[in-house]
Amino acid sequence: MIYADNAATTKLSEAALCTMTDLLREVWGNPSSLYTHGQEAKEVLEKAREEIAAVIGASPREITFTSGGSEADNQAIRSAAERGRIKGKKHIISTAFEHHAVLHTLEKLRKEGYEITLLDVHENGLVTPEEVGAAIREDTCLVTIMTANNEIGTIQPIREIGAVCRARGVLFHTDAVQAVGHIPLNVADDNIDLLSASAHKFHGPKGVGFLYARKGILLSNLIEGGAQERGKRAGTENVPGIGAMATALKEANANMAQNAAYLTKLRDRLIAGLKEIPHSALNGDEKRRLPGNVNFCFEGIEGESLLLLLDDKGIQASSGSACTSGSLDPSHVLLAIGRVHDVAHGSLRLSLGEDLSEEDIDYIIRSVKEVVTYLRGFSPIWRDLMSGKKEFIL
Amino acid sequence: MALYSEKVMDHFRNPRNVGVIEDANGIGEVGNAKCGDIMKMYLKIEDDIVKDVKFETFGCGSAIASSSMATELIKGQPLSEVRKLTNKAVAEALDGLPDYKMHCSVLAEEAIQSALADYEKRTGKHVE
C-alpha cells in the first residue's frame, strides 16, 4: 500500500505508540487527584507541556491542551472575538481558503454581528502582508490566517503578517495544523499570538491537540466545568494522548530538516512527472508549499473515480471534487485560487510521507497517467474538448 | 464498511457498453460539468427494440456504475420497457446507492429518457 494522504492523517509513530500504551497501562490516575498516582499523571502532563512549548518557542503556561485542531481554532477565534467585543472591535480578517474549523466559526460570528473580511489568496494560493495591512481597520480585533493550507500546501508569509498585525496592535492567530512538526515555527520569531495544532498530523494520536496563546491573552472557555487547564478547558485531561503528542512532536522536530529535504525531493519528482499529463495544472505555488504536498487538476475527469481507481492500484489519496466533499460544490480552496468548477472536480491531492521511496513516486506517476487516460477515454467532456466543441481551460 | 456495494464497484471497474455508436438514432446528454456529472447515452433502435446502447460519463464512481447498469437494463428491450425505466430500478439493480448518491441514478434515468425523446423527435414516432 502506498499511503499518500498524510494531510488527512498520519500513522502513529512507534515512539508515540509506546508512550501511549505505557501511559494507558501505568499512569491511569486522574491528574487532579492529590495522591501519588494522580500526581504522576500530573507530572506527565506538565512534562508534555514543557516539551511542546520548547519546540515552538513558547513557555509552558502558554500551552492549553485541546481535543484537536478544530477545538483550538474555535477557542482561539472565540477568545479574540470576545476580547474585541468588549473593546467595541468587531471586525475580523481571514482568508477564503481557511479550514472549515475557522470559516464556520467566522460564519457564526458574522451572524452574531461581527464583520468578516476574507482576503483573496490569488492564483498561487498566497496572501501578502501588504494586503493584510491594508485590510486592518480601527475596529479589527483579529487576523486569522493559516500557516499552511491543508489542500494545496501553500505556506503563508506568517512572520511578516504577524509583524504587520503586531505593529497595528491586532491579535494574530494561525491555524498551523498542517505546519507544526513539518516546517520550522517559532511563536516569538514569527510574531504569533495564537496558534492551533493537532497531534495526528505529525504522527501523534487522534483526538488531541493544543492551543498556544501568548501570555496575557485571556482565553474564553468552550467547555465549562472543572479547573483543568487553568480553568480554560474543563474535562479530565487525555493524559496518554497528550504524552504521545509530546513524544511525536519531539521526534518530528528532531528529524524535521532531514524529513523536509527528503520529502521536497519526492514532491518535486512527483510534480515533474504529473506535469507531463496534458491539460493538467499544479494547484498552488510550486516552491512555497509544504514539503510533502502535491495537488493537481486534470481536465475532463472527475476526482472520485480517479481516487477509486488509484485505490485499486494500492494508492491512497484524496480529491477536492464535490463527490468527495459530500456537497454539490467542489473544494472551496480550489475555487478560492480561481479554479472553475469543471476543473476543480478533477483534482487530486497526494500528501507524501517519509516512508515512501522514489520507486513509489514513479509508480504513482505511472498509475495516475494510466487512470487519467482511461477515464478521459469515455468522458463526454474530454470528447468535446478534443473535437474542439469546447475550449480547454488548462 | 465499503463506500459502495460490490455490484457498484463491479460496474465501476468494468463498465459495460462504454463508448460511442456512430450511427445512433437516439442521443441524450444530461448533467453539467459544474455539478461534476455528465452522462451521454447513444441508442441504436431497430423495430422498436434497443439493438445497441453505449454511454460516455464524466463523473464519480456511482455515476459511471449507474450509467453502466442503465445500459444493461435496456439493452435488447422493447421501447415500451425503456420508457418505464426508473432511477429506482437502476439503484436497486446496483444493490443500492448511498443516499447522497441517488442523484446519479436519477441522471442515468434522465439520460436514457432524453435519448429516447431524441429518437422520437428524429423519427416522428411516439413511444407509449
Side-chain angles (χ1 to χ4, degrees):
Chain A
M1 178 183 92
I2 293 181
Y3 183 72
D5 204 15
N6 287 277
T9 194
T10 58
K11 187 181 173 189
L12 192 63
S13 84
E14 280 302 318
L17 178 61
C18 279
T19 301
M20 201 158 176
T21 49
D22 285 352
L23 290 173
L24 280 166
R25 194 178 293 118
E26 312 290 345
V27 192
W28 45 265
N30 188 325
S32 298
S33 304
L34 56 78
Y35 43 78
T36 313
H37 195 51
Q39 287 307 301
E40 279 170 11
K42 181 80 179 159
E43 272 170 41
V44 168
L45 269 189
E46 295 318 315
K47 188 162 163 276
R49 203 184 307 277
E50 279 167 31
E51 290 170 344
I52 287 167
V55 168
I56 63 163
S59 72
R61 283 181 59 89
E62 295 172 315
I63 304 294
T64 301
F65 296 124
T66 67
S67 64
S70 292
E71 186 188 330
D73 281 340
N74 274 260
Q75 190 166 15
I77 294 168
R78 283 274 169 199
S79 301
E82 180 62 15
R83 301 285 88 69
R85 190 184 59 79
I86 291 165
K87 293 180 194 156
K89 297 180 171 190
K90 294 177 78 174
H91 176 236
I92 300 174
I93 298 167
S94 188
T95 76
F97 76 166
E98 295 298 309
H99 190 274
H100 285 128
V102 169
L103 286 180
H104 289 175
T105 304
L106 294 179
E107 193 45 44
K108 269 200 144 172
L109 286 170
R110 189 199 298 276
K111 286 180 184 148
E112 291 169 22
Y114 287 78
E115 224 184 302
I116 314 292
T117 299
L118 296 182
L119 297 175
D120 188 6
V121 292
H122 308 279
E123 249 179 75
N124 60 3
L126 294 170
V127 182
T128 69
E130 293 74 26
E131 285 166 320
V132 174
I136 293 177
R137 314 188 312 211
E138 279 301 306
D139 62 340
T140 305
C141 62
L142 172 71
V143 170
T144 171
I145 293 175
M146 66 204 319
T147 305
N149 184 271
N150 52 312
E151 290 188 33
I152 59 173
T154 50
I155 300 169
Q156 306 306 322
I158 52 159
R159 181 173 298 185
E160 293 76 11
I161 292 171
V164 168
C165 295
R166 193 142 300 172
R168 305 282 293 274
V170 176
L171 288 180
F172 175 48
H173 165 250
T174 188
D175 170 346
V177 165
Q178 295 288 335
V180 170
H182 298 278
I183 58 172
L185 273 174
N186 182 294
V187 290
D189 296 346
D190 294 334
N191 307 307
I192 297 166
D193 296 315
L194 295 146
L195 174 146
S196 310
S198 172
H200 76 106
K201 307 292 190 184
F202 51 76
H203 302 284
K206 290 160 187 63
V208 58
F210 66 88
L211 170 61
Y212 155 81
R214 191 168 49 81
K215 191 169 176 261
I217 299 173
L218 187 62
L219 293 178
S220 306
N221 284 53
L222 297 182
I223 300 171
E224 303 291 349
Q228 294 89 353
E229 298 299 288
R230 298 179 313 285
K232 295 305 165 196
R233 205 285 185 181
T236 301
E237 302 87 339
N238 176 3
V239 177
I242 291 165
M245 167 162 71
T247 300
L249 186 56
K250 274 194 300 178
E251 197 181 18
N253 194 49
N255 301 324
M256 188 185 289
Q258 191 191 332
N259 285 347
Y262 179 66
L263 286 178
T264 301
K265 196 171 76 169
L266 294 186
R267 177 195 76 189
D268 291 345
R269 187 183 183 94
L270 183 53
I271 289 175
L274 295 182
K275 267 189 177 171
E276 289 170 9
I277 297 175
H279 305 290
S280 67
L282 178 71
N283 293 313
D285 192 88
E286 189 161 345
K287 293 296 169 193
R288 279 199 62 98
R289 66 193 301 134
L290 288 170
N293 178 288
V294 175
N295 191 315
F296 266 82
C297 279
F298 304 105
E299 198 163 5
I301 62 156
E302 192 280 333
E304 193 210 77
S305 39
L306 174 61
L307 292 190
L308 291 170
L309 291 172
L310 287 177
D311 188 18
D312 280 351
K313 291 177 181 294
I315 299 168
Q316 327 229 311
S318 75
S319 167
S321 83
C323 279
T324 56
S325 72
S327 77
L328 280 178
D329 282 321
S331 138
H332 70 289
V333 173
L334 297 176
L335 296 178
I337 60 166
R339 294 285 183 223
V340 296
H341 280 65
D342 309 36
V343 167
H345 286 300
S347 79
L348 174 68
R349 178 186 72 184
L350 295 150
S351 41
L352 312 174
E354 298 82 30
D355 58 318
L356 298 181
S357 65
E358 290 199 347
E359 288 70 42
D360 292 331
I361 298 301
D362 293 342
Y363 175 72
I364 295 175
I365 295 168
R366 278 200 308 278
S367 303
V368 174
K369 281 180 177 174
E370 220 176 282
V371 172
V372 169
T373 306
Y374 166 73
L375 288 172
R376 280 176 172 173
F378 61 98
S379 158
I381 295 189
W382 187 250
R383 169 176 299 281
D384 287 350
L385 291 167
M386 292 304 277
S387 68
K389 222 172 123 186
K390 254 178 97 165
E391 274 186 40
F392 282 105
I393 297 165
L394 302 180
Chain B
M1 204 194 91
L3 178 62
Y4 293 127
S5 72
E6 273 180 39
K7 222 162 201 172
V8 171
M9 286 310 290
D10 175 37
H11 275 260
F12 165 66
R13 289 188 179 116
N14 312 292
R16 281 61 146 179
N17 309 308
V18 169
V20 175
I21 300 173
E22 292 301 342
D23 60 343
N25 51 6
I27 299 176
E29 184 174 321
V30 295
N32 66 65
K34 198 166 181 280
C35 301
D37 288 303
I38 296 185
M39 281 182 201
K40 195 166 183 178
M41 290 282 173
Y42 301 85
L43 300 180
K44 179 68 186 167
I45 296 166
E46 278 171 30
D47 305 326
D48 289 339
I49 283 174
V50 178
K51 284 283 174 210
D52 198 9
V53 50
K54 296 245 188 265
F55 80 91
E56 289 182 310
T57 291
F58 161 89
C60 60
S62 64
I64 291 170
S66 296
S67 316
S68 168
M69 181 53 86
T71 60
E72 284 286 273
L73 290 176
I74 64 162
K75 202 171 182 176
Q77 295 294 316
L79 296 187
S80 54
E81 286 300 309
V82 176
R83 174 113 293 170
K84 284 188 247 166
L85 178 85
T86 61
N87 80 294
K88 228 177 132 218
V90 174
E92 271 169 17
L94 287 168
D95 290 341
L97 286 171
D99 282 350
Y100 68 103
K101 294 286 188 179
M102 280 306 282
H103 73 275
C104 292
S105 63
V106 173
L107 219 52
E109 175 196 322
E110 288 173 356
I112 300 264
Q113 298 308 336
S114 159
L116 194 56
D118 181 53
Y119 169 77
E120 289 179 314
K121 207 174 126 197
R122 287 185 195 212
T123 58
K125 287 184 185 169
H126 180 68
V127 179
E128 287 297 334

